[in-house]
Amino acid sequence: MWPFVRPYWRRIAIAMFGLALAAASVLAIGEGLKRVIDRGFSAGSASELDKILLVMVSLALAQGIGVYIRFSNISWVNNRVVNDIRQRVYSHLLTLSPAFFERERVGDVLSRLSNDTQVLEGVVTNAFSWALRNLVMVAGGLVMLAITAPKLLVYVLIGVPVVIAPVVFLGRKVQKLAKVSQDRLADSMARADETIHAVRTVQAYARESFEQKRFSDRINSLFDNAALRERTSATLSAIVIVLAFTCVSVILWAGGHDVLAGKMSAGELSAFMFYAVMVAGSVGAIAEVFGQLKRATGASERIRELLATNTEIAAPSHPVSMPQARGEIAFDNVTFSYPTRPDSEALKAFSLAVKPGEVVALVGPSGAGKSTVFQLLLRFYDPKQGTIRVDGVDVKAAALDALRERFALVSQEPVIFSGSVAENVRYGNLSATDEDVRAACDAAHVTEFATALPNGLETELGERGVRLSGGQRQRVAIARAILADRPVLLLDEATSSLDAESEVLVTDAIERLARKHTTLVIAHRLSTVQSADRIVVIDEGRVMAQGTHAELMVASPLYSRLASLQLKA
C-alpha cells in the first residue's frame, strides 16, 4: 500500500507528531506516579501533591490533543488511500481486454473492488494506527524501564522474545487463512451475482433449492475458514497475554525483593511496574492487531494481483495519428483464435475491403466468424497474423481511443445502463443537447413508446433496462448510435428483437443513417440486408462469396440455401 500512502506523507508526519505527543504524555505519567509516591506520600508533602496533580492534568490534556491529531490525520489518510485504491482498481479494470473477463468471473472481480478494499479500510484506520501507537509505546516504555531500573530491564528483554515468537509463528497461519477466506468470499459472491442475474432461468427450471444448497455449501466453507482464522487469532492473543503478564508478575516479584532490601524505592518500583504493564499491554495489543494486519495482507495480495494483470491489448507507446475519418476498412489475410479457444480458428486467412460510405452485410451460419470481425475492428483482440487497417492505419499502431471513436456499435443484445432513457441515449455523445437527444429518439422511434412512460425520456429504466421490452431496448441502443454519429456503423443483428411493425420503422431509420456512414451489418434474416451495396458470405472463418442478393442466389450455394430456408419459414 506504500505507493498509495506516499503522496500523503505530510499528513502522516502530522499524525506522527500527534503520536509522539500522546506517547510522551503517557510515558511521563509513570514518572509522575513515582513522584507522587516518593515525594508526596512518603514525604507527607501536600504542596508537592498539588504540583504533581497540576502536571498530571496537563499531561492528560496533552495526551488528548495528541490522540486527536494522530487519529484525525490517520483516518483522513485511510479514507483517501482506500478511495485511491478503488479508483485505481476500477480504472485498471476498464483497460483490461475482454479476454481477461472471459477467464475471470465478474463477481470475483467486484469482490476485489468492494470486499477486499473494505478490509483494507478498517485496517488502516484501526489496526495499522493502533499497531503503530503500541510500537511507539513499547519502545518508549523500554527506554523508561532502562532509566528507572536497569537491573529489572533484563527480565523484560528476556520476556519480549518469548512473547514475540508465537506472534510470528501464528501470524503466518492467520495470513494464509485470510487469503483463503477472501478467495472463498469472492467465489460465493460471484455465484450469487451470476444466479441473481439469471433468476428468471433459475425459477423457470425450479432450481431454487439447488442454487440455495450450492450457495450454502460455499458460505459454510467460508464460515469454517473464518472460524478457524478467528480461533487462531484468539489463540495468538491469549498466548501473548498470558506470557506478557507472567513476565510482569516475575518482574514484580523481583522488584518487590529489591524494595524490601532497600535497593530501590517504592516509587521507582511503582513507576517500573507502570511501564512494564504498559509494555506488556502494548505487546498484547500488537499481537491482536497483527492478526488483523495479516488478514489485510491476504486482501492486499488479491488487489495487487489484479493491478499487476496486464491487458493483452496494449496501446502503442508512440501511436500513429489517425487521418481525417473516411470510414475505409481493410482486413488483409487475418487469422485469429480466441484466447479461451486457441485450437479453434475463428477467422482463417480472412480478407475484406470496405470502401468509405459502403453498406456491407455479413451473412452466414452461426459460428462462421461474423461477430469476430467486429471484435477485431474494435481491437478487443489482436489477430495471430494479418493486418487490419482503418482509414489506412494499422489498428495496432493507433491509440485505442482514437480508433474506437470511429465506430458506433449496436449489438445483438443491447446494453442498457441503469438511468433514464435520455441518459442511455446521451451515452453515445456526452456533449449532446436535449434537442439532439430528442432528435435521435425520434429517428429511432424511441419517442413513440417513451411518451407512454411515467416521466417520458427521464424515466428510470432500472438495472440493465429491466423496465423495457427487448425491442424497446434495441431502439434505445440504435438511438445511441444515431446520436454518436461516427464514421463507421456496426450493426450486429440490430433488428433481431423487434416485432414486424417496429422492424419496418427501425430498418427505415437505419437505412437513412447508413447512407451517411460506412456500415457493416451482421444479419441472420436476409430480408433485412437485400438492399445492401454488397453482401459477404462467411463460413468457417473465410469469405466464401460476395455480391448482391441476386448475384449470390446464383453464385453461392450456401447463400441460396440460407435464403431458401428462410423463405420456407
Side-chain angles (χ1 to χ4, degrees), residues 75-190:
S75 296
W76 186 93
V77 171
N78 160 75
N79 291 324
R80 186 71 257 176
V81 166
V82 173
N83 182 70
D84 291 350
I85 289 174
R86 283 180 174 146
Q87 290 190 55
R88 177 77 66 82
V89 170
Y90 184 71
S91 298
H92 185 66
L93 286 172
L94 293 180
T95 67
L96 297 178
S97 68
F100 171 80
F101 295 98
E102 289 178 10
R103 296 190 303 267
E104 303 291 335
R105 291 180 299 176
V106 173
D108 178 70
V109 173
L110 293 179
S111 178
R112 301 190 192 206
L113 183 61
S114 58
N115 297 329
D116 293 349
T117 51
Q118 191 69 39
V119 170
L120 295 183
E121 182 175 3
V123 165
V124 176
T125 301
N126 301 318
F128 180 73
S129 175
W130 189 241
L132 195 59
R133 180 257 185 199
N134 283 287
L135 282 172
V136 172
M137 297 303 293
V138 168
L142 289 174
V143 172
M144 295 305 296
L145 287 172
I147 294 173
T148 306
K151 175 186 172 183
L152 295 181
L153 178 61
V154 174
Y155 291 94
V156 177
L157 295 179
I158 293 174
V160 167
V162 173
V163 175
I164 294 297
V167 173
V168 175
F169 176 75
L170 291 178
R172 291 174 181 170
K173 185 175 182 181
V174 170
Q175 177 180 342
K176 292 178 182 178
L177 290 171
K179 177 67 163 53
V180 172
S181 182
Q182 292 300 116
D183 288 340
R184 290 183 180 177
L185 176 61
D187 179 60
S188 301
M189 294 303 102

Side-chain angles (χ1 to χ4, degrees), residues 45-56:
S45 174
S47 61
E48 189 69 21
L49 280 176
D50 294 340
K51 293 178 182 178
I52 294 173
L53 174 63
L54 182 61
V55 172
M56 297 286 272

Side-chain angles (χ1 to χ4, degrees), residues 188-387:
S188 301
M189 294 303 102
R191 186 62 201 176
D193 176 79
E194 186 178 36
T195 304
I196 289 172
H197 280 117
V199 67
R200 289 180 175 84
T201 302
V202 172
Q203 293 175 352
Y205 282 89
R207 291 293 180 262
E208 294 91 338
S209 298
F210 171 76
E211 292 295 347
Q212 170 62 35
K213 183 180 184 305
R214 185 152 58 169
F215 183 74
S216 294
D217 290 343
R218 284 171 164 81
I219 288 296
N220 289 334
S221 176
L222 172 64
F223 170 79
D224 292 340
N225 178 268
L228 178 58
R229 185 192 69 231
E230 295 305 330
R231 284 199 303 272
T232 305
S233 296
T235 301
L236 174 61
S237 298
I239 291 174
V240 168
I241 289 173
V242 169
L243 292 175
F245 283 95
T246 298
C247 291
V248 169
S249 300
V250 172
I251 293 169
L252 179 61
W253 171 81
H257 279 280
D258 283 350
V259 171
L260 293 176
K263 296 179 180 179
M264 65 186 304
S265 68
E268 288 174 334
L269 178 60
S270 298
F272 189 91
M273 291 310 302
F274 173 82
Y275 292 126
V277 170
M278 184 179 68
V279 169
S282 297
V283 170
I286 290 172
E288 184 175 347
V289 168
F290 195 71
Q292 298 180 39
L293 289 174
K294 285 298 184 181
R295 182 185 175 198
T297 301
S300 65
E301 280 180 3
R302 284 167 47 81
I303 293 174
R304 189 167 60 248
E305 288 170 1
L306 183 59
L307 291 176
T309 302
N310 295 320
T311 179
E312 288 89 343
I313 306 300
S317 55
H318 301 289
V320 174
S321 297
M322 295 290 287
Q324 183 176 359
R326 303 189 306 276
E328 181 182 2
I329 296 170
F331 283 73
D332 184 12
N333 200 35
V334 170
T335 298
F336 170 74
S337 298
Y338 285 98
T340 53
R341 305 185 296 275
D343 297 330
S344 176
E345 293 181 338
L347 294 181
K348 305 171 185 177
F350 182 89
S351 295
L352 177 67
V354 181
K355 300 175 184 178
E358 189 177 15
V359 178
V360 176
L362 307 179
V363 302
S366 297
K370 303 183 297 297
S371 295
T372 303
V373 173
F374 285 12
Q375 303 272 2
L376 295 177
L377 265 180
L378 291 163
R379 210 188 164 208
F380 291 154
Y381 305 91
D382 282 334
K384 291 195 296 185
Q385 65 182 46
T387 306

